[in-house]
């Protein structure tokens, strides 16, 4: 497959991925771009089987293209997954579960919801690079979230930490995390996971940021005097937060459970960090590429392991 081979339009997608075999072949190329490697013995020769699997010529292992990916054990046809990935990436602001259910003509809201959450989990690439250079960091409350299935309607606020690279007067890449509180023990792990050491971190005077220098960062503090000044002193993070709030209210109508907030933050960061991408098809390509690179998850696992913030 030529590098970064992806459909440019919905018509191209429909024409090219009209059956399971063509979807499977595309995923195969994404998963083994340098050619097949047996997951068991690392041999590089295999025979295609009628089931869509490849049988290793060396050890006989039958390798499935979708095993170990978000598509593992799915009852949803790959053709439908491909359309879901297309709608999720081709729309400037993404798509809600209700919107996806309607556009794909699905009977079940839960199927659409699960599909979108599985794809959100694929939006964070394991081992991705950390932010670099000068980076603004701040925390903010998000209001109006739904809590669990029992507390529907009850308003909850969630605290999020945001890091935004300075790029001249503009914004580079961003990272966002749902955190339990604004203590140093919540903020420091976020900073360490998100930002290269040695970077210059710009924050307000909150004590939760005091240990930054002892942890290998340069630290610039701007004291916030009056209420409402923070947005002028840390303009990039506050711009990101206001875009995030608009997206949650617009695309998702605010119907976001607090326990799943991190998945939405991951989707927001995926979109934001690729906002200058010339082609929507390229986002489809990235998503499909990462979807075959991550661990599988199920509806049950998403609900059970709702990533509520913890301190570990
Ligand atoms: Zn083998």
């Amino acid at each position: 497959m030529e590098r970064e081979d992806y459909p440019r339009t919905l018509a191209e997608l429909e024409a090219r991925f009209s059956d399971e075999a063509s979807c499977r072949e595309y995923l195969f190329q994404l998963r083994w771009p340098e050619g097949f490697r047996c997951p068991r013995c690392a041999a590089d020769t295999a025979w295609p089987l009628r089931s869509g699997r490849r049988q290793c010529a060396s050890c006989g292992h039958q390798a499935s293209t979708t095993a170990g990916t978000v598509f593992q054990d799915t009852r949803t046809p790959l053709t439908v997954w491909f359309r879901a990935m297309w709608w999720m990436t081709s729309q400037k602001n993404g798509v809600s579960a209700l919107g996806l259910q309607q556009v794909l003509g699905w009977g079940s809201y839960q199927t659409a919801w699960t599909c979108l959450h599985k794809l959100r989990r694929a939006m964070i690439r394991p081992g991705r690079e950390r932010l670099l250079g000068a980076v603004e960091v701040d925390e903010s409350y998000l209001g109006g979230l739904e809590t669990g299935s029992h507390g529907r309607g009850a308003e909850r606020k969630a605290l999020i930490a945001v890091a935004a690279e300075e790029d001249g007067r503009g914004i580079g890449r961003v990272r966002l995390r749902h955190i339990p509180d604004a203590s140093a023990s919540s903020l420091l792990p976020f900073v360490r996971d998100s930002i290269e050491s040695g970077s210059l971190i710009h924050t307000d005077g909150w004590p939760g940021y005091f240990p930054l220098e002892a942890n290998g960062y340069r630290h610039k503090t701007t004291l916030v005097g009056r209420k409402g000044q923070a947005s002028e002193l840390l303009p990039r993070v506050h711009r990101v937060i206001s875009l995030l709030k608009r997206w949650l209210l617009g695309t998702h109508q605010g119907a976001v459970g607090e326990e799943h907030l991190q998945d939405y933050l991951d989707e927001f960061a995926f979109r934001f960090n690729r906002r200058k991408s010339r082609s929507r098809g390229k986002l489809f390509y990235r998503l499909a590429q990462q979807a075959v690179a991550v661990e599988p998850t199920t509806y049950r696992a998403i609900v059970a392991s709702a990533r509520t913030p913890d301190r570990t």
Side-chain angles (χ1 to χ4, degrees):
M1 177 159 68
E2 53 183 278
R3 295 253 165 230
E4 310 216 329
D5 163 29
Y6 48 82
R8 261 73 178 173
T9 63
L10 178 60
E12 265 186 54
L13 177 96
E14 299 279 1
R16 180 165 173 190
F17 300 112
S18 57
D19 57 27
E20 293 299 288
S22 54
C23 296
R24 200 174 293 280
E25 182 56 27
Y26 186 76
L27 295 178
F28 178 86
Q29 299 292 345
L30 286 176
R31 187 163 183 188
W32 289 290
E34 315 297 334
F36 177 80
R37 281 268 163 199
C38 174
R40 185 185 287 169
C41 76
D44 57 8
T45 310
W47 320 116
L49 300 174
R50 198 169 294 162
S51 64
R53 290 167 178 254
R54 297 277 201 294
Q55 181 158 24
C56 175
S58 177
C59 76
H61 176 63
Q62 293 191 6
S64 152
T65 302
T66 53
T69 76
V70 292
F71 308 111
Q72 176 174 311
D73 300 330
T74 180
R75 278 174 294 166
T76 304
L78 290 175
T79 51
V80 176
W81 274 104
F82 272 51
R83 277 145 191 79
M85 288 194 291
W86 179 264
W87 285 106
M88 203 176 189
T89 50
S90 65
Q91 303 297 299
K92 183 165 175 284
N93 293 312
V95 63
S96 67
L98 192 60
L100 187 67
Q101 183 194 358
Q102 284 166 354
V103 79
L104 294 181
W106 276 346
S108 158
Y109 173 83
Q110 186 188 300
T111 305
W113 186 93
T114 307
C115 171
L116 287 176
H117 271 282
K118 285 185 177 183
L119 292 174
R120 283 185 187 112
R121 297 276 169 108
M123 286 181 162
I124 294 301
R125 188 164 46 85
R128 63 185 175 157
E129 300 83 10
R130 291 182 291 179
L131 307 185
L132 267 178
V135 182
E136 290 180 6
V137 176
D138 203 0
E139 359 52 71
S140 174
Y141 278 102
L142 282 179
L145 299 168
E146 294 173 352
T147 53
S149 43
H150 306 295
R152 213 174 167 77
E155 285 240 331
R156 279 292 301 269
K157 281 186 171 183
L159 190 62
I160 59 165
V162 179
E165 276 177 339
E166 298 181 11
D167 180 11
R169 298 174 69 93
I171 308 173
R173 297 167 299 168
V174 300
R175 298 282 186 263
L176 299 95
R177 180 180 289 180
H178 185 194
I179 53 173
D181 55 53
S183 66
S185 58
S186 297
L187 291 168
L188 258 184
F190 167 68
V191 168
R192 268 197 230 107
D193 293 345
S194 308
I195 306 169
E196 285 292 340
S197 64
S199 297
L200 175 66
I201 299 186
H202 187 188
T203 70
D204 60 21
W206 175 249
Y209 298 109
F210 287 173
L212 283 178
E213 287 193 340
N215 281 269
Y217 296 96
R218 291 178 294 144
H219 188 199
K220 175 178 156 193
T221 304
T222 304
L223 295 176
V224 180
R226 284 179 287 116
K227 223 180 156 44
Q229 264 190 332
S231 57
E232 296 154 39
L233 299 172
L234 298 165
R236 293 171 188 81
V237 280
H238 287 274
R239 173 92 182 123
V240 170
I241 289 163
S242 83
L243 287 169
L244 169 69
K245 286 179 176 169
R246 198 183 304 168
W247 179 69
L248 291 175
L249 282 174
T251 300
H252 301 289
Q253 312 267 299
V256 171
E258 185 189 6
E259 69 276 35
H260 302 295
L261 178 59
Q262 187 63 48
D263 292 338
Y264 291 92
L265 298 182
D266 291 347
E267 179 180 355
F268 178 86
F270 177 89
R271 291 180 182 290
F272 187 89
N273 292 337
R274 289 165 185 78
R275 67 198 182 283
K276 290 170 185 161
S277 182
R278 297 180 315 280
S279 155
R280 312 308 299 179
K282 194 160 181 165
L283 267 68
F284 172 88
Y285 175 82
R286 286 278 168 253
L287 180 56
Q289 189 181 42
Q290 290 176 203
V292 291
V294 299
E295 292 295 307
T297 186
T298 60
Y299 172 77
R300 192 183 290 264
I302 291 169
V303 171
S305 77
R307 292 185 290 171
T308 37
D310 56 50
R311 291 165 194 278
T312 54

